Amino acid sequence: MNHYLAVSPGAPELPEPALRLFCFHHAGAGALTYARWRPRFPGDVQVLPVRLPGRETRLRERRITDAGQLLDELEADLGPLLEGPHAFYGHSLGALVAYRFALERARAGRRPPEVVAVGACGAPHLPSPLVEQSELPDEGLLAALARYGTLPSYLFERPKWLKLLLDTMRDDLQLARSLKEGAGEPLPCPLQAFSGVEDAVATTRAVAAWRRYTTAGFALRQLPGGHFFVRDAELPETLAAELHRLVAPQRTAAPGRTAPAGRSAAVRALMP
């Protein structure tokens, strides 16, 4: 059983997809962020939202604030699914999770993703306007979230929900800080970054700085919207088009074989 997956990866006897896309959510949120993504992707790309503990169906579980613990648990839970072609997308906090998880696997000599895509997140070496707010009392954290437009207005009418969100955000921001502290080496796979033109938390310039975190090709795309453009249609549609190009060479391979040019074609497709 995969505790971290919000949906089943399928029965073992079923054929494997051409590529699995693991999606990591932003701070204060959960896997429902990606609820509408699956129909937007090719049938041979399996979208697998990853749910961190302490939210949604895992609400009773203790939230994780230490990067090492999270990465160990992800490897133990998802590792067997990463032996075939796969990709990561992470939004905001999820971008740091995706990068660090891919990096830890590369350090251990394990198979890297075909591509790591990050959205709404400045590069790890840059200061974050929200990560530094995690130690503030509720009033201060609330003010910071409101200032950067990351707080849904309807929560002010639901005090219990608001308190839960603040507690979750504080722990998630501490996790983000821990993930940033272990960053450093570039990934051995292509990296694609997405920024929102109206995002005050992660500006396009800050997102562009991810360029230093790959040795295998970098591309940056601007999308309409603010910090939560992950909720709009353009991001999954754009990513689906890229992954369609990624898996296309595999469709022409003989059954049971992977096209020899698949990896290099994937790199070329993601070059700017």
Side-chain angles (χ1 to χ4, degrees):
M1 180 178 180
N2 299 101
H3 295 288
Y4 274 85
L5 291 184
V7 298
S8 171
E13 63 272 12
L14 295 177
E16 289 196 356
L19 183 139
R20 290 188 170 103
L21 173 64
F22 294 84
C23 302
F24 302 90
H25 57 74
H26 54 275
L32 288 176
T33 299
Y34 301 104
R36 299 179 181 179
W37 273 39
R38 300 186 82 179
R40 301 184 185 276
F41 283 78
D44 48 5
V45 174
Q46 185 181 37
V47 178
L48 295 174
V50 177
R51 177 181 289 130
L52 301 190
R55 66 213 74 218
E56 297 174 351
T57 59
R58 306 186 69 185
L59 186 60
R60 296 179 182 272
E61 299 179 43
R62 188 184 185 96
R63 290 185 292 271
I64 294 177
T65 59
D66 177 71
Q69 178 187 350
L70 176 62
L71 296 173
D72 286 346
E73 290 192 12
L74 288 174
E75 180 59 39
D77 197 65
L78 303 179
L81 296 174
L82 302 176
E83 296 176 0
H86 61 278
F88 292 164
Y89 175 77
H91 197 82
S92 196
L93 165 69
L96 297 172
V97 177
Y99 161 71
R100 282 296 310 278
F101 190 28
L103 180 61
E104 292 305 307
R105 289 182 55 80
R107 286 170 172 169
R110 300 186 177 99
R111 177 173 185 153
E114 302 297 312
V115 59
V116 172
V118 296
C121 182
H125 64 281
L126 298 178
S128 168
L130 284 180
V131 169
E132 308 309 320
Q133 315 297 322
S134 63
E135 302 298 333
L136 291 177
D138 283 357
E139 295 77 9
L141 180 58
L142 182 62
L145 294 174
R147 182 165 62 251
Y148 288 104
T150 59
L151 195 66
S153 59
Y154 67 83
L155 286 177
F156 288 98
E157 302 173 4
R158 297 171 172 84
K160 290 185 179 179
W161 290 12
L162 182 59
K163 174 61 176 173
L164 177 60
L165 174 66
L166 290 175
D167 291 344
T168 304
M169 282 292 302
R170 181 173 287 105
D171 286 345
D172 285 352
L173 292 175
Q174 290 177 2
L175 174 61
R177 178 185 298 172
S178 181
L179 289 163
K180 286 165 69 72
E181 290 172 352
E185 302 102 297
L187 296 173
C189 60
L191 194 153
Q192 184 152 21
F194 296 89
S195 69
V197 294
E198 300 173 9
D199 191 349
V201 179
T203 65
T204 296
R205 183 175 182 178
V207 176
W210 277 97
R211 183 181 298 273
R212 70 163 67 178
Y213 290 92
T214 177
T215 60
F218 176 82
L220 172 68
R221 292 179 183 268
Q222 280 189 301
L223 298 178
H227 193 63
F228 297 116
F229 60 84
V230 66
R231 299 169 179 164
D232 301 328
E234 188 161 348
L235 172 61
E237 290 174 355
T238 302
L239 191 55
E242 295 292 354
L243 296 184
H244 176 78
R245 296 165 65 187
L246 187 71
V247 301
Q250 299 183 34
R251 297 193 188 97
T252 61
R257 297 176 58 190
T258 299
R263 183 71 180 186
S264 60
V267 174
R268 291 197 301 273
L270 289 165
M271 290 293 285

